[in-house]
Structure formats: C-alpha cells, structure tokens
Amino acid sequence: MELAQESGMPQAKKRGREAGAGRQAWRRYKKNKLAMFGLCFMALLVVVSIAAPWLAPHSPFSSIKNAAGGLDIMAKPSGEYALGTDSLGRDVLARLMYAGRVSLSVGIVSVTISTFLGVLLGAIAGYYGKWIDSVIMRIVDIVYCFPVMFLIITVSTMLKPNLFNVMIIIGLVSWTSTARLVRGEILRVRELEYVQASKALGVKDFSIIVQHILPNIMAPILVQATLMTADAILTEAALSFLGVGVQQPTPSWGNMLNEAMSIMVLRFKYWIWLYPGLAILLTVLSINFIGDGLRDALDPKLKGRR
Amino acid sequence: MRNYLIKRLLTSLPLMVGITLLTFFIMQLAPGNPMQTMIDPRISTADLARAQERMGLNDPMIVQYFRWLGQIVQGNLGYTVKTGQSVAHMIGERLPATLLLTVTAFLFSFVVGVPLGVYSATNKYTKRDYGLTVFSFIGISVPSFFFGVALIYLFAVKLNWFPTSGLATINLEGGAWAAFVDKLKHLVLPALVLALPNLAVIMRFTRSSMIEVLTNDYIRTARAKGLSDRKVKFKHALRNAIIPVVTLFGISIPTLFGGAYITETIFNWPGMGSLGIQAITAREYPVIMGLNLFTSMLVLLGNLTADVLYAVVDPKIRLSK
C-alpha cells in the first residue's frame, strides 16, 4: 500500500480505486468457507497467544505444587487442569497457550526474513538478467538439492539451538521459492510498456523495481508469504520435536509432542501429546486455507487452478 | 534428444560443485577442522601431528577445499570422531533401508495420488471433490511426527495390527513368506507417513492439470464428434494432463529424503535418516556432512532423471532450447 502511494498518482483517486479492489477481493474471500474458518481460527490464536499471561490458569514453566505439597505428575484432564499435566507436573493448557507465541513468532520473523531475501534476490535476478541471474538461480538450484530439513537441523545444532537461531536459520534457507516466483513475475512485467516508458524517462532502476514493478506483483508474493508461514511453523515444530529447536522449559508444540516418544506416555497419557499435535495441525491448516483463499480472492483468474 | 541430454548434464556440473562448496562451508561452522575428520583417528598422536603437517592445515581455504574434494571424489567421506568407522561404509549400510522406505512411499503417493486427482477433477465442485480438497489440505498441513505418533497409537498400540517400530521382527519363525509379510507389516505405517504430504501435493497438481486440459478446444472437438464422456476424459484428456505430473518426480525426491529423517526417527527405521539424527545427537559432524553430500547428490541425480523423462514424454521441452 505504502509503496503504491508514493508513485505520484493523485492521492484521492488512488485511494478510491484501491478501496474498490480491496472490497472486491474481500467479497470473494468471504465466500470461501475454508478460508473464513482459517481466518477465525488464526484470530483466536493471536488473541490467546497475546493474552496468554492473563488467560493461563497456571505457570507454563514450572511444576505445580498441589495442596498436599506434592506434584501432580501426568494428571488426567480435570476441573483443576483442564487438559491435564505433563511428565514434570506442568499444566498442559498453560504450555499450549505459551507455545502459540513461539509458533507465531517463528512464522512472522522467519517469513519476514525469507520474503525480504527472496524478493531482493529474485528482483535482481529477474530485472538485470545475464550472469547475475545465472549466479542467483544456480544458488537457488543448489539449495533445492539439499534436503532443507536436514540442512536446518545441522546448522541449528552447530550454533546452539534456541528460538532466536531457529527463526533466523529457517528464514535464511527458505527464500529460494520466493526468489523463483519473484524472478518469474518480474520477467513477465519487465517488458510491459509502462516499465519501458519509465526506463525511457530515465527513472532509476531501484525506483522502477520498488515503485512500479513490486506493487504489481504484490498479490502472488503475499500468497507465497502466507504459505511459507505454514511451512516455517511446521519446520520449527519438527526441530523442537527432535530436540534441536526450542529448548525446555520454553514450551513449543513440537517439544511438547516429543514426550510421545515414550511408549508409556503414548499408550496411557494421550492428553500430553494429542493437544499440541492438534494445535499444530489446526494452525498450519488454517494458514494454508487463508493462503488458498487469498490466491483466489486476489487473482480470480487463478481460481480452480492449483 | 542427445543435445538436450548433454546440455542438461553440463548444467548439473556447476550444481555439483556448488553442493560440495556449500557442504564445505557448513563444515567450517562446526568445531574443529574439516580436514581432521579425514584422518583415521586410530593412529597415534605423533603420526597425527605429522599427518596434519603433511595435509597442510595452514594452507589457504581454497587449497584445503580442493584437497578435501579430492578425497570426496575418491569415495572417502571421512571417519567418525568416536569410533573411527568409515562414513562411506556406514552410509552404504543404511542405504537399502532408506531406499526401501522412500521408493515405497514414492510409488504409493503416485499410484494413489494421480487417480484421486483425476477423480476430483472429473467430479469438479461436487461434495466428493470438496472432501478430497479438504483431505489434501490436511495432508500438507499435518506434521509428520504427529501423524506418525497418531498412527502408532491407533494401529499399533490400540488395534495391534502393525508393529510399532523397526525393520523386521527379531528371531522370526517361519519361512521366506513369513519374513516377507513381516517386513511388509513393518513398512506400512512409516511408508504411509512419508507418502502423505507428497500424495496430497500430487493429487492437487493432477486435479488442476486435468481441469486445465478439459477446457481445451480439442476436448470440445472430441465431444462435438460425439465421443463418449468416458473416452474424452480418460483417453483424450488424461494423456495430456498427466505429462506435467512427471515434473513432480523430481520435486518428490528431496521431500521424501528430507521427510525420511523424521519418519525413520519415529519408527526406529534403521536407515540414513535415523543415522543422521543419531549423528546430530552425538555431534558426529563427519557423518552429518557425508549424509548431506550424499543425499544432495542423490537428489541431483533424481532431478536429472526426472528432467530427461520429461523431455522424453514432452517433445516441446527437448525441442524448445
């Protein structure tokens, strides 16, 4: 939005047109039931995550001492502990709420990094072409060949695994698909008359890319970023599940699920692993629904494809 | 075709170099010197010091890279830090189990995914299509470790249909047939977990490809000539719709190898993936790097095969460039 406003068009006219397009997109989006479900669920998740300190019935980090002075270890869901307690006697519901913060931060931070890198490198490759294009796209191909999951695990272990490193690493290795997308879009837009006209007028390359090209390819980038958020959250959960991501006592849905690796917990204490699993599934599913809804809403031509 | 093949092989070369460069670079992040891992640790410290001197650990990085590359080309992936085993040998031992799992998952995801996608497309916008769409969304959204754990809980612990983990039952009685059935039973759950996300993607892709083809003019012509609906859909449309699905062969390979790390860990499957996770826990960097290098080469080879296959089925590709 901000980018488009700087492009020198009369302010009032511009805003009127954008509001119209936005409203139309929203009308199309609203019709998609799955996308609306996703939006509602994510809104709920955001509220719960932000308000976790006030909503959580117990501390998520430490074991709870009961009236008798002992610990309620692996307690069944009950009035006191709505979703039970884990193997250290910590409240599962409280941990679930705080873990939502981890997932959302990973999604937002890593996707911001990867989208920035992807747009930057994709735009350079697509706009300038020639050798710089070849170099960037070969790097993309190389990263594609690596099993990215293992690459992330490896680097994360070498630099101490923690939330901060996990966010950065996921961001740094997952820019390639965005770069491919942006490059393709720029190749398409680059030859359009208005871009050629700007060039002829002597507008600087940077201004052409940022002010004239990017606003036109915003829709696919936005959809891509949404879908990448789902992937980033899944990756963090997998890392934490394997013990090389977010570390205890900080709760993450992935490291909560790790307890299911014990056959005793798996067999008899379903509440310890079922709820974090469902939380990941619903979150990732919702984001994917939103991404799909956005694609259809922003670009009706694509409806029904992919 | 020959020109295309040569061209494609030539473009793979810089990729191979890039993969080794990236691997070498990541090894620099690891504590210790990558060249040290090339030395068999069972030799004495005096020999070691001489060996380090001889190997020129003070040489510039680029020289060290080429020397390391020389070892790699000769098939020396280094030795483990603690036990001094050859990494190449360890990978060789684990390879068959991983191939069994990934190939099964690969076949399963295409054999099930493509027909489901075609079905979805030919019944576009019906309740069943809608149901399959939701299913495919769940397929790409469910974390493999949660799906794996849930399957173990349901089918291994509660129903007792399949074993919880491993490759085969130890000390199994009975003949070859019993052993085969036993192995199959061990394979079902991990293959299902590994295949699900891939299957979902293939299904979606086939669906959209088929829908697109069905809007083509030649389909309208076929209908206008009075061909039956069945014949139009399954003989005329399907043939063209299935061509782009071949590109998914290449994309599936890194997904499956990447997924194997988690799937093998959950099911205690003795393949390269669980070896990798064990190596990470034990901080065995030579093993980690060897695996990285080996799997990315496999992926490269897989992509090459997929591209060549694509050129075979679609003349537009091999003639366009």
Side-chain angles (χ1 to χ4, degrees):
Chain A
M1 294 294 161
E2 248 177 343
L3 296 174
Q5 274 173 7
E6 287 163 16
S7 63
M9 280 177 100
Q11 205 70 8
K13 196 174 153 197
K14 179 93 199 161
R15 196 167 291 157
R17 202 194 57 157
E18 266 186 9
R23 211 174 297 143
Q24 269 182 18
W26 171 239
R27 208 178 301 135
R28 280 192 295 266
Y29 186 91
K30 266 196 304 192
K31 280 191 198 143
N32 188 332
K33 280 184 210 136
L34 295 178
M36 283 309 282
F37 164 82
L39 195 64
C40 293
F41 182 84
M42 286 314 286
L44 182 76
L45 180 66
V46 169
V47 170
V48 169
S49 299
I50 292 173
W54 297 281
L55 290 176
H58 299 279
S59 159
F61 305 111
S62 50
S63 320
I64 315 149
K65 280 214 166 63
N66 59 21
L71 298 177
D72 287 328
I73 286 173
M74 299 198 201
K76 275 201 175 109
S78 62
E80 176 64 20
Y81 314 110
L83 300 179
T85 63
D86 68 6
S87 60
L88 294 176
R90 295 173 298 195
D91 187 53
V92 171
L93 178 62
R95 288 178 68 74
L96 216 51
M97 289 174 166
Y98 274 83
R101 300 180 142 198
V102 168
S103 286
L104 289 179
S105 344
V106 169
I108 294 166
V109 174
S110 60
V111 171
T112 307
I113 298 173
S114 65
T115 303
F116 175 77
L117 283 176
V119 170
L120 183 75
L121 293 168
I124 293 175
Y127 190 81
Y128 292 104
K130 298 197 183 113
W131 65 271
I132 195 159
D133 180 29
S134 314
V135 169
I136 292 176
M137 293 330 282
R138 283 304 82 73
I139 295 176
V140 169
D141 289 342
I142 290 166
V143 178
Y144 256 79
C145 284
F146 264 72
V148 170
M149 189 66 204
F150 197 59
L151 185 68
I152 297 174
I153 297 175
T154 311
V155 180
S156 169
T157 336
M158 286 174 173
L159 325 159
K160 205 167 164 274
N162 58 38
L163 177 59
F164 180 77
N165 282 344
V166 166
M167 294 192 295
I168 305 287
I169 296 165
I170 296 178
L172 287 182
V173 298
S174 41
W175 53 272
T176 48
S177 48
T178 310
R180 266 193 184 169
L181 173 87
V182 171
R183 173 179 176 269
E185 291 289 317
I186 288 209
L187 284 181
R188 186 175 62 81
V189 175
R190 190 178 64 176
E191 301 306 325
L192 293 184
E193 274 156 7
Y194 80 98
V195 176
Q196 297 299 322
S198 312
K199 263 190 193 163
L201 285 170
V203 181
K204 281 190 197 127
D205 286 350
F206 180 78
S207 307
I208 294 181
I209 295 176
V210 171
Q211 296 186 357
H212 300 291
I213 297 183
L214 283 186
N216 271 304
I217 61 173
M218 230 31 192
I221 295 176
L222 190 65
V223 172
Q224 174 73 8
T226 312
L227 299 175
M228 296 289 293
T229 311
D231 278 353
I233 290 176
L234 266 184
T235 307
E236 179 276 323
L239 287 180
S240 303
F241 172 77
L242 292 170
V244 293
V246 176
Q247 302 292 312
Q248 300 279 4
T250 308
S252 137
W253 293 331
N255 70 24
M256 291 173 79
L257 243 158
N258 181 276
E259 290 206 42
M261 290 297 273
S262 140
I263 194 77
M264 199 277 283
V265 171
L266 177 68
R267 190 184 282 256
F268 302 110
K269 318 281 177 191
Y270 72 90
W271 59 89
I272 297 181
W273 56 267
L274 181 65
Y275 299 117
L278 287 178
I280 306 172
L281 173 61
L282 283 174
T283 305
V284 176
L285 195 59
S286 297
I287 299 175
N288 279 327
F289 282 156
I290 292 175
D292 197 59
L294 276 179
R295 172 164 38 214
D296 289 351
L298 294 174
D299 195 348
K301 276 179 298 194
L302 287 176
K303 192 167 167 69
R305 300 233 209 121
R306 278 223 69 180
Chain B
M1 190 64 210
R2 218 186 79 213
N3 286 343
Y4 176 79
L5 204 67
I6 291 168
K7 207 183 142 137
R8 193 58 191 73
L9 275 172
L10 283 179
T11 50
S12 298
L13 265 172
L15 285 190
M16 265 186 215
V17 175
I19 287 169
T20 58
L21 266 174
L22 186 58
T23 307
F24 189 77
F25 169 73
I26 296 171
M27 280 173 89
Q28 303 299 317
L29 291 175
N33 187 298
M35 277 309 287
Q36 286 168 353
T37 66
M38 285 299 171
I39 306 163
D40 189 335
R42 283 168 298 195
I43 59 175
S44 74
T45 34
D47 285 341
L48 191 71
R50 224 174 304 135
Q52 283 194 353
E53 181 57 40
R54 200 172 58 235
M55 290 173 114
L57 288 173
N58 302 324
D59 288 345
M61 205 56 94
I62 188 80
V63 178
Q64 291 196 33
Y65 165 73
F66 279 111
R67 207 173 284 134
W68 174 79
L69 194 64
Q71 293 290 313
I72 298 296
V73 172
Q74 289 168 36
N76 179 6
L77 291 176
Y79 297 91
T80 60
V81 179
K82 279 163 202 149
T83 53
Q85 279 172 284
S86 150
V87 172
H89 182 72
M90 285 172 87
I91 293 178
E93 260 179 6
R94 298 292 196 116
L95 185 62
T98 295
L99 282 183
L100 175 67
L101 183 62
T102 43
V103 170
T104 310
F106 181 86
L107 293 176
F108 181 78
S109 50
F110 277 95
V111 167
V112 177
V114 171
L116 281 181
V118 171
Y119 181 84
S120 214
T122 48
N123 293 280
K124 197 168 61 160
Y125 304 137
T126 61
K127 280 223 169 80
R128 278 174 226 161
D129 172 38
Y130 200 68
L132 282 173
T133 301
V134 173
F135 166 76
S136 72
F137 268 109
I138 294 175
I140 56 167
S141 304
V142 68
S144 57
F145 47 90
F146 178 53
F147 184 51
V149 161
L151 283 187
I152 294 177
Y153 180 72
L154 210 62
F155 294 109
V157 174
K158 289 280 159 185
L159 295 170
N160 214 358
W161 288 357
F162 301 105
T164 54
S165 64
L167 184 65
T169 309
I170 306 161
N171 297 330
L172 184 81
E173 303 206 351
W177 175 249
F180 175 74
V181 171
D182 179 62
K183 198 152 207 178
L184 209 62
K185 275 189 168 178
H186 280 85
L187 186 60
V188 171
L189 295 184
L192 208 59
V193 170
L194 193 56
L196 183 73
N198 206 34
L199 191 157
V201 171
I202 292 166
M203 197 179 109
R204 291 287 284 169
F205 194 87
T206 311
R207 177 182 181 271
S208 48
S209 169
M210 184 82 177
I211 287 176
E212 209 178 316
V213 168
L214 280 172
T215 61
N216 281 351
D217 286 341
Y218 81 93
I219 293 293
R220 204 181 312 142
T221 312
R223 282 192 203 284
K225 332 206 256 194
L227 289 184
S228 72
D229 190 52
R230 261 187 90 80
K231 218 168 187 176
V232 171
K233 278 176 181 162
F234 296 104
K235 207 163 167 206
H236 291 242
L238 189 58
R239 274 195 187 176
N240 276 320
I242 222 147
I243 290 175
V245 174
V246 174
T247 48
L248 287 181
F249 284 1
I251 300 170
S252 302
I253 296 166
T255 318
L256 290 176
F257 274 107
Y261 287 106
I262 294 170
T263 311
E264 288 185 2
T265 304
I266 306 169
F267 288 94
N268 245 324
W269 189 263
M272 283 159 36
S274 51
L275 175 69
I277 301 296
Q278 284 160 15
I280 278 172
T281 322
R283 300 284 190 276
E284 282 285 5
Y285 296 111
V287 181
I288 299 173
M289 289 301 101
L291 277 171
N292 253 345
L293 201 62
F294 185 72
T295 32
S296 29
M297 288 300 172
L298 271 186
V299 170
L300 192 66
L301 196 72
N303 279 336
L304 192 70
T305 318
D307 279 2
V308 171
L309 212 61
Y310 194 38
V312 171
V313 294
D314 191 349
K316 274 186 280 181
I317 300 293
R318 60 172 184 264
L319 296 175
S320 70
K321 290 164 207 165

